[in-house]
Amino acid sequence: MPEMKARWDIFCTVVDNFGDIGVTWRLARQLVAEHSVTVRLWVDDLRAFERLCPDIDINASQQWQQGVEVRQWTANWQPTEAADVVIAAFACQLPGAYMDAMAEREKPPLWMNLDYLSAEDWIVGCHGLPSVKYKSVQKFFFFPGFQKGTGGLLRESGLLERRQQFQQNPESQREFLQGLGIDRAQGAQLVSLFAYENKGLASWFDAMAADSTPTHLLVPEGRVLGDVARWLGVDGLVAGAVHVRDALTVQVLPFVRQDQYDLLLWCCDFNAVRGEDSFVRAQWAGRPLLWHIYQQDEDIHLDKLEAFLALYTKELSEPAREAISGLWHSWNAGETMSDHWLATRKHWPELQKHAEAWCLEQALQDDLAAALVQFYVNWI
Ligand code: TRH
């Protein structure tokens, strides 16, 4: 098997937040664990990395984490041999000296740009096409996606089985939640909230507080806390804080390790997620979700939102489709959420069933790491 011996370099610039490192770290680990390749992960911001993986030594220029060689990518680039497969994540610009090292190899490496995730149709036509060339080295587009003909989604082997076992085991869930200091409020639905700042939050919280079903809302530390604090009428919020307002219990959680975040999503009845990686993980959780999409210039993110909603809601009944689409639209526009939340709650059983069906359908695709390896095998 040629891929057994291959050396891979993955380059990650942390533009902001955690998605860039979240995706590349997950991919690097999976390539090592499931495809026996050698991976160096070059990262320009180890502090962001440390949040997802507290074992990271932010001062080390080189370290090993879960079989991955993590290299600090500094402005002062030291010459290094180019790998067999080079992945530039999210169109990041490789160091000039490294590009020369790629071109100097006897057999140029396979050079790919791992793009952002989108459900738009044009992805299918562009996935795998040649992009620019540097000297003798050809770059290729690699697009993750939800549809056949794309690069698929990151999904570790056995993930869904592990998730289903965990969800069928209330004791494991209770233990995990207790470890985070969570004692589920009696009869309450569990909701997680990972989002950017959002003006619509107050109206959603109002609706949950006034609901006949209690909600226990879990909010990992992060950008949305300011809005949460404003709604609660408190000065600031730190991990461990618990506030009750009528039927709504709000609990602030520490930002947990990446694998623990999966367990949190698996415990919850509903997950509000954002960006790219948490969005995909919430789909693998098999539970209804709310996506806060990452805003882009000229509102191009709205096309991505529509494309995903069109795919995701295709098999839903008309009223359920309207309800969940309305909720996602209002959340992403920062508009009033209350009516949309109530409408969504009306279609809960259908949305729950659908979330699992969607997850299983997506899992029929090759996962992204396997698709990358296959692309390489086809290329050599
Ligand atoms: O953090 P994000 O908003 O990241 C990104 C980046 O901003 C990026 O530039 C942009 O292009 C992209 O969004 C679309 O959202 P995301 O992608 O969900 O990444 C969050 C990561 O953090 C994900 O890997 C899960 C992880 N995480 C934890 O490990 N622990 C936690 O407690 C939480 C809440 C998240």
Side-chain angles (χ1 to χ4, degrees):
M1 294 273 286
E3 75 267 24
M4 296 290 279
K5 295 183 219 92
R7 289 176 302 125
W8 293 49
D9 270 337
I10 302 176
F11 286 85
C12 170
T13 47
V14 176
V15 178
D16 58 5
N17 304 323
F18 306 106
D20 313 288
I21 184 61
V23 167
T24 49
W25 169 227
R26 192 182 292 292
L27 171 63
R29 269 181 299 167
Q30 195 187 348
L31 284 169
V32 167
E34 297 175 25
H35 298 280
S36 309
V37 298
T38 303
V39 179
R40 287 190 297 193
L41 174 59
W42 298 88
V43 185
D44 70 348
D45 179 357
L46 293 184
R47 281 184 194 280
F49 198 170
E50 190 192 19
R51 298 294 304 281
L52 277 70
C53 174
D55 308 326
I56 286 290
D57 175 353
I58 55 167
N59 298 311
S61 57
Q62 178 192 30
Q63 60 193 297
W64 292 86
Q65 296 290 348
Q66 300 184 33
V68 175
E69 183 182 347
V70 176
R71 291 290 197 100
Q72 197 154 28
W73 178 4
T74 55
N76 173 25
W77 180 261
Q78 298 301 312
T80 185
E81 224 180 293
D84 304 308
V85 185
V86 179
I87 297 181
F90 311 120
C92 72
Q93 186 63 41
L94 303 187
Y98 187 85
M99 306 246 288
D100 287 331
M102 291 201 299
E104 280 155 18
R105 280 175 54 115
E106 202 177 317
K107 180 174 166 43
L110 170 61
W111 177 25
M112 286 181 280
N113 181 55
L114 175 62
D115 252 284
Y116 289 104
L117 172 63
S118 173
E120 291 161 296
D121 285 338
W122 62 266
I123 298 300
V124 179
C126 292
H127 172 61
L129 291 185
S131 161
V132 293
K133 229 175 167 179
Y134 180 74
K135 299 184 179 168
S136 57
V137 195
Q138 178 67 59
K139 189 176 186 181
F140 292 89
F141 291 111
F142 195 97
F143 282 97
F146 304 92
Q147 309 195 63
K148 241 198 175 123
T150 68
L153 302 172
L154 279 171
R155 172 173 44 82
E156 299 83 356
S157 162
L159 177 73
L160 299 199
E161 293 77 3
R162 285 199 301 282
R163 188 264 289 173
Q164 281 158 348
Q165 272 174 17
F166 185 78
Q167 287 179 338
Q168 283 157 14
N169 189 335
E171 190 47 38
S172 302
Q173 291 175 53
R174 208 179 51 81
E175 233 172 71
F176 167 72
L177 292 171
Q178 260 182 0
L180 288 176
I182 302 161
D183 196 3
R184 191 180 183 138
Q186 186 88 48
Q189 57 180 354
L190 272 191
V191 174
S192 79
L193 171 61
F194 180 47
Y196 309 112
E197 298 78 2
N198 197 315
K199 289 197 183 80
L201 179 140
S203 60
W204 184 22
F205 278 36
D206 287 343
M208 287 189 281
D211 204 336
S212 53
T213 306
T215 299
H216 193 147
L217 186 84
L218 307 170
V219 194
E221 280 182 310
R223 289 175 54 176
V224 79
L225 279 192
D227 291 321
V228 177
R230 248 185 305 284
W231 183 81
L232 288 167
V234 297
D235 273 347
L237 286 168
V238 287
V242 182
H243 295 270
V244 182
R245 299 286 183 273
D246 301 316
L248 178 61
T249 301
V250 177
Q251 180 163 1
V252 181
L253 304 182
F255 196 90
V256 294
R257 314 176 63 98
Q258 204 181 35
D259 43 0
Q260 297 239 313
Y261 182 59
D262 268 340
L263 300 185
L264 180 68
L265 295 171
W266 298 354
C267 284
C268 289
D269 302 292
F270 185 80
N271 292 300
V273 286
R274 71 183 205 193
E276 178 162 332
D277 192 52
S278 58
F279 174 48
V280 173
R281 302 316 279 186
Q283 290 170 61
W284 296 138
R287 299 273 163 86
L289 69 148
L290 172 62
W291 184 26
H292 202 181
I293 193 168
Y294 181 77
Q295 283 202 3
Q296 289 176 283
D297 292 341
E298 294 166 28
D299 281 349
I300 54 171
H301 60 284
L302 294 181
D303 294 336
K304 289 188 186 171
L305 184 70
E306 292 315 322
F308 181 80
L309 268 177
L311 268 188
Y312 183 76
T313 63
K314 213 156 122 200
E315 302 297 328
L316 284 172
S317 68
E318 188 61 36
R321 178 182 314 136
E322 270 179 26
I324 194 80
S325 303
L327 187 76
W328 285 37
H329 283 135
S330 54
W331 185 235
N332 282 288
E335 288 169 358
T336 306
M337 299 273 286
S338 343
D339 291 349
H340 298 294
W341 178 243
L342 294 178
T344 300
R345 299 276 299 127
K346 267 195 200 144
H347 300 284
W348 213 240
E350 182 180 347
L351 291 168
Q352 277 173 326
K353 225 168 122 194
H354 176 67
E356 181 69 24
W358 169 263
C359 168
L360 298 180
E361 185 193 324
Q362 285 300 315
L364 295 176
Q365 276 204 98
D366 278 348
D367 70 83
L368 190 138
L372 277 169
V373 170
Q374 192 56 51
F375 194 89
Y376 174 57
V377 170
N378 296 345
W379 175 83
I380 35 180

